[in-house]
Amino acid sequence: DSVKHDNATFARQPGSSMKPLLAYCSTFDILGWSTEHQVNDAKKDYWRSGTYLNNSDGKYNGRMSLAYALGVSKNTTAAAAMLDLIDAKGYNYWIDFCRKLGYDEEVAANFNEQYSIGGSDMFASPVQQANAYSIFANKGKRVDAHFVRNAIRRTDKKEFNTNPETVDVISEDAAFMMSYTSRSEERFSRNAET
C-alpha cells in the first residue's frame, strides 16, 4: 500500500509565489511606494551569508520599476524590499503578518528575510497560498477557503449559512495596486523572453 497525502494541504516551499505577498504588497502602505517605484536589481549579499543572491536568469539589470521586477521575478529586488520593510516595522510585525496570511504558527514564528522569495523555513500548502492570495481579490482581507456558502434543507426550508473567517491584512488600496501589478506581470515576463 502506498502512502497517500492530500496535495492541497501538503506544505512545500512556495518559492517566488511569496514575492507579491511578503516583499511587495506592503511596500505601498508602509513605504509609500507605487507600482512604478524604482528598485535596484544589484549583485549583493542580501542575507549576509557570504554569497551573492542570484536571480533565476543569472543577470542583474540595475534600476527597474517594482512592477517590472515582479513581472520578471527578480530575487534581488524582492530581498531588498523585504529588508526595507523589516527596517520599517521590525521582525515581530512580520511574524504577525505571516499569521494574518494564514500560515502555520511554526512557520510564522520562524520568519526571516528569506521568506520573501519562498526560501529558508517557509513552507505552505496550496490551500494556504490560495487563502493568502485572497487578500488581493477581497480588498485586503484574507478569506479562508470554503466549499459551501449556504444550504437550504428541503423539509423545512431552514437555511444554513457559512461565515468564512476574514482577516484584515493590507489596505484596499494596496490590494488594488498589487492586483494591477500582477496583471501587468504576464506582459513583462513575456517581453523579457524576447
Side-chain angles (χ1 to χ4, degrees):
D1 219 331
S2 67
V3 176
K4 295 181 181 181
H5 65 265
D6 183 352
N7 281 321
T9 59
F10 184 74
R12 59 191 60 98
Q13 286 196 299
S16 291
S17 70
M18 292 305 297
K19 292 173 186 171
L21 293 167
L22 283 179
Y24 295 125
C25 73
S26 293
T27 62
F28 305 124
D29 289 333
I30 296 170
L31 303 176
W33 291 6
S34 73
T35 59
E36 293 304 309
H37 178 83
Q38 293 294 296
V39 294
N40 191 17
D41 175 26
K43 187 175 184 176
K44 185 177 170 184
D45 181 7
Y46 291 90
W47 313 138
R48 300 170 299 285
S49 64
T51 59
Y52 296 120
L53 180 61
N54 293 315
N55 291 309
S56 62
D57 64 3
K59 299 176 185 174
Y60 302 96
N61 300 106
R63 310 245 349 124
M64 62 185 65
S65 71
L66 179 152
Y68 185 81
L70 176 62
V72 296
S73 195
K74 292 291 187 177
N75 288 332
T76 55
T77 57
M82 189 77 250
L83 291 170
D84 287 348
L85 288 164
I86 291 169
D87 285 347
K89 289 293 194 176
Y91 281 93
N92 288 336
Y93 178 90
W94 296 103
I95 290 168
D96 189 52
F97 192 84
C98 286
R99 288 179 182 123
K100 287 180 179 180
L101 286 172
Y103 297 121
D104 293 340
E105 180 57 34
E106 183 179 347
V107 169
N110 290 327
F111 169 82
N112 67 63
E113 300 90 342
Q114 293 181 33
Y115 279 28
S116 64
I117 61 170
S120 187
D121 295 322
M122 179 63 221
F123 287 87
S125 71
V127 169
Q128 287 174 317
Q129 284 301 87
N131 289 344
Y133 264 84
S134 73
I135 66 174
F136 303 131
N138 292 291
K139 301 180 180 181
K141 294 178 184 348
R142 187 190 86 226
V143 179
D144 286 342
H146 51 283
F147 294 105
V148 177
R149 290 186 187 261
N150 70 352
I152 300 173
R153 191 166 41 203
R154 286 185 190 182
T155 56
D156 61 1
K157 304 290 187 217
K158 182 174 180 177
E159 188 170 346
F160 300 89
N161 294 306
T162 60
N163 293 311
E165 180 182 355
T166 63
V167 178
D168 289 333
V169 181
I170 59 174
S171 73
E172 186 175 338
D173 290 341
F176 171 80
M177 288 196 289
M178 197 69 242
S179 295
Y180 171 81
T181 303
S182 296
R183 282 193 300 271
S184 302
E185 188 177 337
E186 180 188 341
R187 179 173 46 98
F188 290 131
S189 58
R190 207 174 335 109
N191 290 341
E193 292 172 4
T194 58

